[in-house]
Structures are given as C-alpha cells and as structure tokens.
Amino acid sequence: MPYVEGNSAIREMFEAGARMAEEIGAENVYDFSLGNPSVPAPKAVDQAIREILDQEDPLYIHGYNQSNSGYEDVRTVVADHLNKLHGTSFTSRNIIMTVGAASGLNVAIKTLADPGEEILAFAPYFVEYGNYCANHGVTLSAVPANTATFQPDLEKMEAMITEKTRAVIINSPNNPTGVIYSADTLRRMAEILRRKSAAYGKAIFILSDEPYRELAYDGAEVPYVTRFYDDTVVCYSWSKSLSLPGERIGYLVFPTEMEDFENAAAAANICNRVLGYVNAPTLMQRVVAKCIDEKTNIDVYDKNRQALYDGLTEIGYSCVMPQGAFYLWVKTPMEDDAAFCAKAKDYHILAVPGRSFACPGYTRLAYCVSYDTIIRSLPAFRRLYNDIQAGK
Ligand code: PLP
C-alpha cells in the first residue's frame, strides 16, 4: 500500500488535535496545522449557486460535460479574465477546467512527463508533489532551499538538471514560506531552462502551481509566468482565492507557444478523463464564471499575518515575513523540527515540521485561523520558547 507511511505524521496530528480538543476544549487548542481557509466564500458565490440551480435545466447542470476540458463559454470567461489581468492572449483553447489544483497537477504531470523522467521542486515545497509524481512513475527531486531568501536556488537547480528532467514545479506565493518569486528570479530561471532544453533537445517545462495567486499582501505583484517562459503550464485553483476547497474547481493554462501545443492540450483533455476526474464539476464551472471578478477578504489574513509575525518575532522566534498565501515559516528554536513540533503539542500548539516540506529546521504555521486564536496562542508560544532557551 503506497503513501500510508508518509502520511502518518499528518494523520497523527489530526488525531492529537481532536483528542486535545476533547480534553481541554477546542478553544484552548492552537491548531496551526491546516491550510483550510478561515474566510467564508463571498456571498456572491452562494447567490450564484442558488440562481444557477433555479434557472438551469437539472439535466444540464448535474450532467457530464461534452468536452472533458470543460464548458467552452466558461473557458472563454477564464481566458478573457487572464488576458485583462496579465496582457496575455489566451482563448478557450488554452484553458482546461480541472477538479482543483491537485487534479490539475496530476493531469499536467501525466500529460507532460513519461514514467522514469524526473521533476524538480524547490524546497520547501507542498508535500503532495511527491505523491502526484509517484502516481505517474515520475521521480520528484528536491532542489535544496536557499535559506537566506527562500527564492529558488537557481545555481543548484541548474546543476541538478539532467537528460531525465522534464519539468520544474514552482509555487508562488509559496506554501509554506509565503515568499513570492520575483520577476528577476523567473527571468533567470527561464534563461537557464531555455539553455538546458536546447542542450538536451527536449522541452523542460515550468509547472506553475498557483492556488495562492490572489493572496498577496501590501500590493505585491505576483509575476505571470507564461510571460517569462513559453513552456509553462499554469495550474490554478479557486480553493483559496474564493474559499472553495471542498468544491474542487480550478483550471490549467496550456499556452499556444508551448512545445507541441495541439497535442499537449488534446492529451490533457484525455488525461482529465482517464485519471478519473472526467470533467470539472458543472455547477462549479458556472459559478466561477459568474463570480470571476469576486475576491476573498484578504484583509482578514493580512491582520493575522501581522499579528502572528509581530507576536512571534517579539518573543524571539526567527520568521520569514510572508508576502502572500496564509502560512508563516518559522525557524525552530531547537535544531530538530520534529522534536520541536512534538514539544509544541505539550503547549497545545499544533504545527507542521519543516521536514514535511523537505526543509528540516523550520516549522509551518497556517494562520488561516481566527484572530482570537492567534492572540490567545502567543503566551503559549512564549512559554514554549522560554522553556527551550532554559533547556527544559
Ligand atoms: N498546491 C499547493 C501549494 C497547495 O497548498 C494546495 C492545497 O493546499 C494544493 C496545491 C491543492 O489545492 P486544491 O484544493 O486546489 O486541489
């Protein structure tokens, strides 16, 4: 049975959290373990669902799609939206509706990579990438972190590329660091990948995983990757941007300029089917088309970000100030991040060790919790820190 062992740490944390909540009350557990949005979906989303259900033929709205890539008019709405925002020139042909980013990544990997090939990801990275690659007989290799900035280490990336490398996964704003990859980083990454693609006589793709694109603070710009590199596939999701993770809706962008576009788009359409997703949920496709200009209330996350960053740095923790997403990346005050997270449980704090993101020595705190939880957790973080400093 694959995957079971690797997932046990997260399951254990779930169980520990539930047990703790039963014993001491949920309000006394500071659960920073999960990236589940704490801002409800905009009201317009629920309204759109009701209107669509009232207006549309049930056989259509609950039915299979004609194309496994989704509804033509919905894909046009998405393409036009991207063109308006990023100055691109996509049409419906470039868009494939997916069952969230998780399925989008699986479709993209199966479409682009052959079994036995390799994909690179920059540590720290979303733990599921390894599972998604394994699903398709592809190896995921971690490019070690640049712990000074947590921008991708491009020299290390270049040194790791071989004839087996088929793609590089990037994720900006990043889970778990909150870092946004700069235009300069993307420009230099593109130059290296163009050079390496030419050297090995095959396209090396960028797979840009973007569920946090809309969660950027202080007006930070999140550069659009297809503008830097033609062989890019963008993987987007409304899970976080509209707080709809349970509804499973997202899309892939296959740009016309990428290598072998017609075949790649046709293959992705088939992969959506044969991987068992069949098509993105019909109702949700219509909802996101109707709500394409809607936004989540990012001010809520921003307030949490400031409070947790300020609170923890004041205590003495060393944190990366997140530019986006809803995670705080903290250097563990003990070398062993797993031991730190185990100890934190004694203070009723649940956090994910950095090694789960291929980056030991750190911990991830998901601050998509209530503001009150953050404020109430700070004395526990202080006791934890002081006790570690005192060798207790
Ligand atoms: N990629 C990253 C970096 C994520 O953090 C997540 C979910 O937390 C996903 C992909 C999967 O998102 P979705 O719910 O759209 O499948």
Side-chain angles (χ1 to χ4, degrees):
M1 285 239 224
Y3 313 130
V4 174
E5 198 181 316
N7 284 344
S8 64
I10 294 168
R11 202 177 52 231
E12 270 167 33
M13 193 146 48
F14 264 138
E15 286 167 7
R19 266 198 314 275
M20 225 185 263
E22 251 175 45
E23 280 163 24
I24 59 169
E27 70 284 4
N28 297 313
V29 181
Y30 313 118
D31 188 350
F32 294 97
S33 63
L34 272 188
N36 213 3
S38 55
V39 175
K43 285 214 170 2
V45 168
D46 291 352
Q47 205 177 322
I49 293 172
R50 286 194 197 95
E51 279 170 18
I52 293 165
L53 289 177
D54 283 347
Q55 288 160 13
E56 299 283 0
D57 175 357
L59 290 179
Y60 160 80
I61 204 65
H62 300 306
Y64 290 125
N65 292 189
Q66 256 175 355
S67 162
N68 298 109
S69 297
Y71 280 103
E72 179 84 26
D73 59 336
V74 173
R75 293 158 66 199
T76 300
V77 169
V78 171
D80 291 348
H81 180 69
L82 292 175
N83 296 341
K84 199 169 75 185
L85 290 179
H86 307 299
T88 45
S89 34
F90 300 132
T91 69
S92 60
R93 294 169 67 234
N94 302 110
I95 310 296
I96 293 156
M97 303 304 292
T98 63
V99 183
S103 87
L105 285 164
N106 273 281
V107 167
I109 293 167
K110 189 169 175 66
T111 301
L112 301 177
D114 290 325
E117 287 192 314
E118 181 190 45
I119 290 182
L120 303 180
F122 297 95
Y125 60 80
F126 180 51
V127 64
E128 299 288 11
Y129 293 157
N131 292 331
Y132 300 161
C133 285
N135 286 344
H136 310 291
V138 172
T139 308
L140 182 79
S141 299
V143 180
N146 166 4
T147 53
T149 61
F150 287 102
Q151 293 281 325
D153 190 323
L154 298 176
E155 271 176 28
K156 289 193 181 127
M157 176 196 83
E158 181 163 10
M160 284 176 71
I161 293 175
T162 69
E163 72 281 356
K164 291 204 158 168
T165 310
R166 180 46 89 186
V168 176
I169 302 183
I170 61 173
N171 168 225
S172 166
N174 184 262
N175 172 10
T177 63
V179 166
I180 294 175
Y181 295 174
S182 68
D184 183 53
T185 294
L186 295 175
R187 206 170 292 118
R188 289 188 296 122
M189 185 182 292
E191 272 165 28
I192 295 168
L193 292 179
R194 270 192 286 272
R195 197 159 9 94
K196 288 289 182 180
S197 296
Y200 289 115
K202 68 188 251 192
I204 300 173
F205 297 95
I206 292 180
L207 245 174
S208 183
D209 179 28
E210 308 192 349
Y212 303 97
R213 165 164 286 281
E214 262 63 61
L215 306 187
Y217 306 107
D218 303 325
E221 196 211 335
V222 185
Y224 205 70
V225 185
T226 64
R227 304 205 53 179
F228 295 81
Y229 191 61
D230 289 344
D231 286 314
T232 298
V233 169
V234 177
C235 180
Y236 184 86
S237 156
W238 281 277
S239 288
K240 321 286 168 159
S241 59
L242 286 185
S243 298
L244 297 173
E247 304 299 352
R248 315 307 303 135
I249 184 75
Y251 62 79
L252 288 167
V253 180
F254 277 64
T256 311
E257 296 74 17
M258 74 186 283
E259 190 188 69
D260 209 5
F261 161 70
E262 296 288 349
N263 270 331
N269 177 72
I270 293 169
C271 288
N272 224 1
R273 192 185 83 224
V274 300
L275 287 175
Y277 307 118
V278 182
N279 55 247
T282 309
L283 173 60
M284 279 304 133
Q285 288 188 54
R286 301 249 67 96
V287 169
V288 292
K290 237 179 153 148
C291 298
I292 198 80
D293 292 318
E294 286 297 326
K295 292 185 167 59
T296 191
N297 184 357
I298 184 178
D299 294 347
V300 174
Y301 297 131
D302 194 9
K303 189 173 166 200
N304 288 358
R305 170 181 81 119
Q306 298 284 349
L308 192 60
Y309 177 87
D310 290 349
L312 293 192
T313 44
E314 200 264 321
I315 292 167
Y317 291 94
S318 168
C319 312
V320 176
M321 180 56 160
Q323 298 167 291
F326 43 43
Y327 306 103
L328 185 67
W329 188 238
V330 183
K331 193 158 174 48
T332 50
M334 299 157 66
E335 208 180 313
D336 184 336
D337 52 307
F340 172 79
C341 290
K343 190 174 175 63
K345 273 194 218 154
D346 295 340
Y347 300 73
H348 309 145
I349 295 167
L350 300 182
V352 185
R355 66 188 55 190
S356 299
F357 305 91
C359 192
Y362 292 82
T363 182
R364 186 196 77 173
L365 302 176
Y367 56 81
C368 42
V369 295
S370 72
Y371 180 71
D372 189 48
T373 299
I374 290 176
I375 298 305
R376 282 186 301 103
S377 72
L378 292 176
F381 275 111
R382 186 181 292 280
R383 272 185 279 114
L384 171 61
Y385 186 85
N386 289 344
D387 287 352
I388 290 169
Q389 299 307 315
K392 283 195 213 160

